[in-house]
Amino acid sequence: MASRKAGTRSKAAATKQAQRGSSNVFSMFEQAQIQEFKEAFSCIDQNRDGIICKSDLRETYSQLGKVNVPEEELDAMLQEGKGPINFTVFLTLFGEKLNGTDPEEAILSAFRLFDPSGKGVVNKDEFKQLLLTQADKFSPAEVEQMFALTPMDLAGNIDYKSLCYIITHGDEKEE
């Protein structure tokens, strides 16, 4: 009986986690974007079974004029889904690609350039100035929006390790 309960609990936890993951991906996009992704998914899902498989990809490529797609390329595309590619997985894959987030270690390395003492923090005001004036400049509204989710200490220093986690894994408060 105890093992049955444990099994039920783990199934419920997995279901809850899957729901949380899928609800998160839907919140990444506006309704109009989701509709566009549904249309794209329908175009690729040639056999209309709700799952993108190798034959769906091959047929889609064929319709686009590319007939000799290597098996390895098709396999690599399918492996990105880490399982059957239904619409939620499809949306998640595009969300990851469109977000363009770098691996956590790459982001940490970039922040370390602004933290020569290695304390794990950068000054909010200095960082704000960089965001407003360098490379892909942020607007003042975008900076404030980012700072609303940014972990800071009382001195106005950004805990960039926590921020990197939020960037790459999402804000736990959102769930």
Side-chain angles (χ1 to χ4, degrees):
M1 186 77 154
S3 64
R4 236 189 234 166
K5 284 185 179 179
T8 304
R9 239 184 263 130
S10 64
K11 285 179 189 174
T15 302
K16 186 175 181 180
Q17 186 176 2
Q19 288 172 340
R20 214 179 11 218
S22 64
S23 66
N24 242 357
V25 72
F26 285 96
S27 68
M28 291 172 56
F29 300 105
E30 295 175 11
Q31 196 59 42
Q33 292 173 304
I34 292 171
Q35 187 58 41
E36 288 176 14
F37 282 119
K38 280 183 184 176
E39 291 171 18
F41 182 86
S42 294
C43 289
I44 298 169
D45 183 20
Q46 297 286 317
N47 62 9
R48 305 286 184 250
D49 66 352
I51 303 289
I52 294 176
C53 62
K54 193 183 294 189
S55 63
D56 292 330
L57 292 175
R58 189 177 288 108
E59 180 63 27
T60 301
Y61 269 117
S62 176
Q63 289 179 0
L64 295 171
K66 188 172 181 183
V67 289
N68 294 323
V69 181
E71 290 289 315
E72 301 79 34
E73 186 176 331
L74 297 173
D75 289 335
M77 292 172 78
L78 292 172
Q79 287 173 0
E80 285 189 51
K82 297 177 179 60
I85 301 177
N86 61 20
F87 180 67
T88 304
V89 173
F90 181 80
L91 196 59
T92 302
L93 289 170
F94 272 92
E96 291 170 357
K97 300 284 186 204
L98 293 173
N99 272 343
T101 46
D102 293 318
E104 191 169 356
E105 190 54 42
I107 298 169
L108 283 170
S109 294
F111 272 108
R112 285 186 192 114
L113 295 173
F114 304 105
D115 180 25
S117 62
K119 294 180 181 175
V121 296
V122 293
N123 181 274
K124 175 187 174 185
D125 295 329
E126 292 174 15
F127 190 59
K128 181 177 182 176
Q129 187 62 29
L130 289 170
L131 291 173
L132 292 170
T133 62
Q134 304 297 312
D136 292 334
K137 297 176 180 100
F138 278 48
S139 70
E142 289 170 325
V143 171
E144 292 310 313
Q145 182 181 13
M146 187 197 81
F147 283 161
L149 296 173
T150 303
M152 283 186 237
D153 63 18
L154 295 174
N157 294 311
I158 297 170
D159 174 358
Y160 64 82
K161 291 177 184 175
S162 294
L163 178 59
C164 287
Y165 184 85
I166 291 169
I167 290 169
T168 56
H169 296 91
D171 186 11
E172 290 180 3
K173 290 179 256 179
E174 291 176 357
E175 294 181 7

